[in-house]
């Protein structure tokens, strides 16, 4: 059973930074794709940033230049978020895809407010 656990969310002022972590129950290189998604109240879940099967990264236009996705050589993926805006307020989810299955974490709340 694959488990993903996010952490690092919280309340931050506009312009501030947060670093989200996603801890997987197995080596993350076992997955074909890894990504961060977010869902704001009343909105659909959207892709924030991800790794393709070739290891390249892609970002939503709204976060390019501000967010950086990274991973270690074991079981962890990260999302460094800088210059945060109120529009970034959402629940952030870790996602992993492998063998036709898509796995999700429970989410971590990020609130950007003064």
């Amino acid at each position: 059973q694959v488990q993903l656990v996010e952490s690092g969310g919280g309340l931050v002022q506009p312009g501030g930074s947060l670093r989200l972590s996603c801890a997987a129950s197995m080596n993350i290189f076992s997955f074909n794709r890894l990504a961060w998604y977010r869902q704001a109240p009343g909105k659909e879940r959207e892709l924030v940033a991800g790794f393709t099967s070739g290891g390249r990264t892609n970002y939503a236009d709204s976060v390019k230049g501000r967010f950086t996705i990274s991973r270690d050589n074991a079981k962890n993926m990260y999302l460094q978020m800088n210059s945060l805006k109120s529009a970034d307020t959402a629940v952030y989810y870790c996602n992993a895809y492998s063998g036709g299955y898509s796995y999700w974490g429970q989410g971590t709340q990020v609130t950007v407010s003064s």
Side-chain angles (χ1 to χ4, degrees), residues 35-53:
W36 287 96
Y37 285 76
R38 68 185 180 187
Q39 187 166 19
K43 295 187 177 182
E44 293 186 354
R45 193 170 296 188
E46 63 174 357
L47 176 68
V48 176
F51 287 101
T52 67
S53 58

Side-chain angles (χ1 to χ4, degrees), residues 18-110:
L18 281 175
R19 189 191 194 208
L20 304 184
S21 298
C22 173
S25 58
M26 57 191 292
N27 191 297
I28 59 174
F29 287 92
S30 300
F31 302 110
N32 299 114
R33 294 197 298 272
L34 291 163
W36 287 96
Y37 285 76
R38 68 185 180 187
Q39 187 166 19
K43 295 187 177 182
E44 293 186 354
R45 193 170 296 188
E46 63 174 357
L47 176 68
V48 176
F51 287 101
T52 67
S53 58
R56 289 176 291 185
T57 57
N58 59 292
Y59 296 90
D61 288 342
S62 60
V63 307
K64 282 180 181 177
R66 300 188 298 122
F67 290 12
T68 303
I69 190 172
S70 64
R71 58 188 174 184
D72 62 19
N73 291 323
K75 299 181 179 180
N76 301 289
M77 180 173 66
Y78 307 98
L79 185 67
Q80 177 67 41
M81 306 186 295
N82 298 328
S83 302
L84 283 161
K85 307 174 182 180
S86 57
D88 297 317
T89 295
V91 178
Y92 284 70
Y93 297 91
C94 176
N95 173 262
Y97 178 86
S98 179
Y101 292 93
S102 185
Y103 303 95
W104 295 91
Q106 83 289 350
T108 185
Q109 176 71 46
V110 171

